[in-house]
Amino acid sequence: MENILQTILSRKSDQKKQFAVLIDPDNYKPSELIFLATMATKCNVDYFFIGGSLLTADNLNEAVIILKEHCSIPVVIFPGNTIQICAKADGILFLSVISGRNPEMLIGKHVIAAPILKKSKLEVIATGYMLIESGKSTTALYMSNTNPIPAEKPEIAVCTAIAGEMLGMQLIYLEAGSGAERAVPENMISKVRENISIPLIVGGGIATTDQARKTFAAGADLIVIGNAIENNVNFIEEIAHLIQSEFNSPIV
Ligand code: 1GP
C-alpha cells in the first residue's frame, strides 16, 4: 500500500480535498462495518480513522479486521490511549496534544507506545493535535485533562500550529471534539492554514454539508466526520458529492 502520509501530501499538493470517516468501534456492529466499508469504497472515502477518547467494548481489533477484509481504504488508528494499538491497521496518528500542558499527552504515553509501534509495521505519523473550545466539554478534553484553545483566540492556535510544525509534526489536527456543539471556527482554520505548510486536518461537530463546505473553503485539507455518519450513513454520499462537485472536479 502507498504510504499514507505521502498520499495525504500528494493530494494536498494536487489541491484535492480529502475526507476521513471516523469510526468509534463501540458504536458499530460488524454488519454495519461491512456496509460502511462498501459505501465508503463507492464514495471514494480517502481514509478510515478508528479509535476514540474512551472505548468500552474492547472490539477495536475486530473492527480493524472487518474493515481490512472488506475494503482497501487505509485504516488509520486515531488513539485515545496506549491500549488502542492494533498492528493489523495500516497506520497510526501519533497524537501529541500540543494545545495542552499535560506532559502525559505531550510525550509520556508516547514513550510507552514507542517500542510497541517500532516492532509493528504500522506507519507512524507525528500529529500535532489541538483541542479547540467548542461550547461544552468533550470526552477528548476530559480524558486528556487539558484546557482547549479558546475558539475566539485564533492567534493562539496559529502560534501553537507553527510551533508544532517547527517541532517536526507531519500533520496538524484542529479538533472541536466528537459531537461538538460548534465546529472549529473558519477564521481559525484559515489563519492556521496561512501559517503552516504541512497538511491541516479539521474535525469535530461537522454535521451538515454546509459546515463541511465552509471547513474546506477555510483551508482544511482533510476533514474528519464521525457522529453525523453514525447517525446517517448516507451522509457519506453527500460529502462525496460536495467534494467532487465543488472542490475536486477537474478544471476544464
Ligand atoms: C472527533 O474529529 C472527530 O475526533 C469527529 O468528530 O464525531 O463530531 O464528527 P464528530
Side-chain angles (χ1 to χ4, degrees), residues 22 78 129 173-180 202-206 224-228 230:
L22 174 66
F78 179 55
Y129 191 53
Y173 191 142
L174 296 180
E175 171 71 273
S178 199
V202 180
I206 300 173
V224 185
I225 303 181
N227 269 265
E230 281 175 18

Side-chain angles (χ1 to χ4, degrees), residues 2-18 20 46-47 49 76 93 123 125 127 170-171 198-201 221-222:
E2 202 180 342
N3 178 299
I4 296 160
L5 180 62
Q6 283 311 320
T7 304
I8 296 174
L9 287 166
S10 77
R11 289 182 189 164
K12 175 179 182 297
S13 82
D14 292 343
Q15 299 186 335
K16 301 283 189 204
K17 297 297 187 183
Q18 304 172 61
D46 296 283
Y47 318 96
F49 287 179
V76 182
L93 298 184
E123 179 183 341
I125 306 170
T127 304
Q170 295 162 304
L171 304 172
I198 52 177
L200 179 60
I201 302 177
D221 300 302
L222 192 167

Side-chain angles (χ1 to χ4, degrees), residues 27-81:
N27 297 339
Y28 283 92
K29 298 189 193 103
S31 59
E32 292 169 337
L33 286 174
I34 294 168
F35 184 75
L36 187 67
T38 311
M39 176 79 130
T41 301
K42 192 181 91 181
C43 294
N44 297 317
V45 166
D46 296 283
Y47 318 96
F48 281 122
F49 287 179
I50 185 163
S53 303
L54 180 67
L55 301 185
T56 59
D58 192 24
N59 58 2
L60 176 72
N61 284 312
E62 186 193 358
V64 170
I65 290 166
I66 291 171
L67 292 171
K68 293 301 299 171
E69 277 174 357
H70 289 88
C71 69
S72 57
I73 297 169
V75 177
V76 182
I77 305 285
F78 179 55
N81 54 54

Side-chain angles (χ1 to χ4, degrees), residues 42-219:
K42 192 181 91 181
C43 294
N44 297 317
V45 166
D46 296 283
Y47 318 96
F48 281 122
F49 287 179
I50 185 163
S53 303
L54 180 67
L55 301 185
T56 59
D58 192 24
N59 58 2
L60 176 72
N61 284 312
E62 186 193 358
V64 170
I65 290 166
I66 291 171
L67 292 171
K68 293 301 299 171
E69 277 174 357
H70 289 88
C71 69
S72 57
I73 297 169
V75 177
V76 182
I77 305 285
F78 179 55
N81 54 54
T82 49
I83 61 169
Q84 291 176 29
I85 296 175
C86 171
K88 294 197 166 62
D90 300 298
I92 184 165
L93 298 184
F94 204 40
L95 302 172
S96 188
V97 185
I98 59 174
S99 54
R101 299 296 179 269
N102 177 352
E104 282 303 306
M105 305 309 275
L106 285 163
I107 181 65
K109 304 278 185 199
H110 311 69
V111 173
I112 295 165
I116 300 160
L117 293 175
K118 195 162 174 70
K119 281 197 199 108
S120 79
K121 291 197 173 72
L122 289 168
E123 179 183 341
V124 178
I125 306 170
T127 304
Y129 191 53
M130 296 170 50
L131 296 170
I132 312 301
E133 186 272 321
S134 60
K136 64 173 184 194
S137 191
T138 59
T139 310
L141 266 186
Y142 183 83
M143 295 306 293
S144 67
N145 197 14
T146 63
N147 286 323
I149 293 176
E152 71 285 5
K153 298 280 184 193
E155 65 278 12
I156 300 179
V158 167
C159 296
T160 307
I162 294 173
E165 182 169 31
M166 286 173 170
L167 282 165
M169 299 294 166
Q170 295 162 304
L171 304 172
I172 292 291
Y173 191 142
L174 296 180
E175 171 71 273
S178 199
E181 272 178 4
R182 293 197 303 265
V184 179
E186 292 150 66
N187 70 330
M188 181 180 281
I189 298 169
S190 59
K191 287 186 175 147
V192 169
R193 174 69 287 157
E194 283 163 22
N195 282 281
I196 58 169
S197 56
I198 52 177
L200 179 60
I201 302 177
V202 180
I206 300 173
T208 62
T209 47
D210 192 48
Q211 186 64 50
R213 178 186 293 113
K214 288 177 182 161
T215 304
F216 277 135

